[in-house]
Structures are given as C-alpha cells and as structure tokens.
Amino acid sequence: MTSSTDRVAIVTGGSGGIGRVSVERLARDGLAVVVHYAGNKDRADETVASVVDAGGRAIAVGGDVADEHRMGAVFDAAEQEFGGVDVLVHTAGIMPLSPIAQLDLDTFDRVQRTNVRGTFVVDQLAAKRMRAGGAIVNFSTSVTRLQIPGYGAYAASKGAVEALTLILARELRGRDITVNAVSPGPTATPLFFEGKTPEQIDGIAGANPMGRLGTPEDIAEMVSFLAGPARWVNGQVLYVNGGAA
C-alpha cells in the first residue's frame, strides 16, 4: 500500500454533513481528496478551501452520482490532478421520508436512482480504476435494523447498498482492495434534522444508550480507519450508532 501522503481519496457528497467532515479527516490523515458535489458548488469550494488552508490537498468536482459519464469525469480528475485513486468514500444519498402507503412512486424511483444506481456507478468505476491497496467505503444506515416507520424507501435502497458491498468485496479477490459499508445511526446533520420537531430529535437522542445523537466526527473516525489501517476488515457492514439496537 502506498504511504498516506501519496494516497488519493474521492468523497462523494463531500460538501456537507458527514461527507465534509470525512474529507477534512482524510486530509488530516495525509490523503489528497477530490470533493464531489451534486449541486452546491459553493459549499464544495468552501470544503476545499478549509483543507487547503490547513495545508492539505483537495479539489472539487461536480456531477450526478448516478450518471456514469459524470462520475467517470470525477475519477479522471483524481487521476489527472493527483495521479490515481486509492480510496472511495461514497456518502452521497437522499432521504425523503413517507409511510410506504403514501409514498409517491416517482419519489421512490428517485431514491433508488440516487442511492442504489449511484452506488453501483461509483463502485463499478472504483472496481475498474482503483489502485492496489485501496479501500471502498459505502454508506448504509442503521435503519435497516431499526425498522423506523417512514423510512421504507430509504431503508430499501440501503439494503441494496449492503448487498452490493458484500458481493463486490468477494468479486475483488486478489486485487488487495477492501470493500465495506458504514451504517450510521441518527447523526446530527442537516439531513437528519430536516422535517423533525425538537421533541422528536430529543426523543431519538434520549433513546440511544449513549444519551445523544452521533456526530459527523464519530462517523469520520470509522471512515479514517477503513480508508487506512483496516486492511483485514473486508466485506463487512459496520454499525456506528452508539449502541442503538
């Protein structure tokens, strides 16, 4: 495996929430980072600036995560700017909530396109183009175990992400590339807070054995581990949720 100062990471959804904190953590670990964004270029540029101001290396590249041509260009940029790709951290996803009986099918299709097809697209590119010693870190959710009403479409998409993760890990036999999925529990990000009352947020935090919500930094700690020293962790779904059932 190349040294951390020679390693290059692509972080999808790297302009906010868990993605941004993961970018900053990987940069502190010595990796050059490609900050992928879907629509918010200004926020991605701010993330890049925070890395560069701290002495790191980063660029921002936009694109629809489910578009293989746009995401191919993200990998092209990583190779042209930094020499290759060693780590993929795929945080990009959407989470509209609705009971299954009331969910509009167009919304269901949009969730599956972004979360399932998007994962397939970037994982396929990584499988073809990642250097030996690499690490693919997909994102699932603890909701696949918690079965919270309203999360049907999202949990279904993340169940598919877990299946892709476990199969790809075995398909990459002999490549020295690990493939794992991180499954956060409720985490204090804008995506989590959207549409919830203060009472709901307090209830969710209080139900956790640790008595709080997770933070993006908690999740980035696992990303750093899987992207770097965790060479014997492969084909796993790791629940990072403070002990939520």
Side-chain angles (χ1 to χ4, degrees):
M1 188 171 72
T2 55
S3 70
S4 61
T5 55
D6 298 322
R7 285 165 66 76
V8 180
I10 294 171
V11 180
T12 68
S15 63
I18 291 169
R20 175 169 180 158
V21 175
S22 295
V23 166
E24 293 170 341
R25 175 57 191 265
L26 292 173
R28 289 198 301 274
D29 290 344
L31 283 75
V33 187
V34 176
V35 180
H36 160 268
Y37 63 93
N40 197 325
K41 184 179 187 300
D42 290 343
R43 197 165 60 184
D45 288 340
E46 290 170 6
T47 304
V48 168
S50 73
V51 169
V52 173
D53 289 347
R57 298 170 294 157
I59 60 171
V61 185
D64 176 359
V65 74
D67 184 326
E68 66 272 29
H69 303 294
R70 295 297 300 273
M71 295 312 297
V74 174
F75 279 74
D76 291 343
E79 292 169 355
Q80 292 162 9
E81 185 73 17
F82 299 124
V85 178
D86 303 284
V87 174
L88 168 68
V89 179
H90 179 46
T91 76
I94 60 173
M95 190 177 65
L97 302 181
S98 169
I100 292 169
Q102 280 81 54
L103 181 65
D104 180 88
L105 285 176
D106 288 341
T107 301
F108 178 85
D109 289 344
R110 184 164 57 89
V111 172
Q112 307 315 310
R113 182 182 187 278
T114 298
N115 295 359
V116 182
R117 179 187 168 99
T119 299
F120 191 95
V121 165
V122 297
D123 279 11
Q124 185 179 70
L125 286 163
K128 292 177 178 179
R129 301 175 65 166
M130 185 172 281
R131 296 186 287 207
I136 296 171
V137 183
N138 290 324
F139 265 69
S140 182
T141 172
S142 290
V143 176
T144 56
R145 293 173 65 181
L146 299 175
Q147 296 100 38
I148 302 172
Y151 285 78
Y154 181 69
S157 74
K158 292 303 187 176
V161 168
E162 292 184 9
L164 289 170
T165 299
L166 301 182
I167 290 171
L168 183 59
R170 285 142 183 92
E171 290 181 346
L172 293 182
R173 174 187 292 272
R175 291 278 306 280
D176 190 24
I177 295 171
T178 61
V179 191
N180 295 287
V182 174
S183 290
T187 304
T189 66
L191 187 65
F192 170 78
F193 290 123
E194 186 176 319
K196 295 183 177 70
T197 68
E199 292 75 19
Q200 287 173 319
I201 293 166
D202 290 344
I204 292 168
N208 192 284
M210 303 296 285
R212 65 174 177 86
L213 297 174
T215 67
E217 289 76 12
D218 292 326
I219 312 306
E221 189 76 21
M222 178 59 76
V223 169
S224 173
F225 176 60
L226 293 174
R231 300 310 303 165
W232 200 235
V233 181
N234 188 32
Q236 303 299 317
V237 178
L238 298 119
Y239 294 89
V240 186
N241 60 22

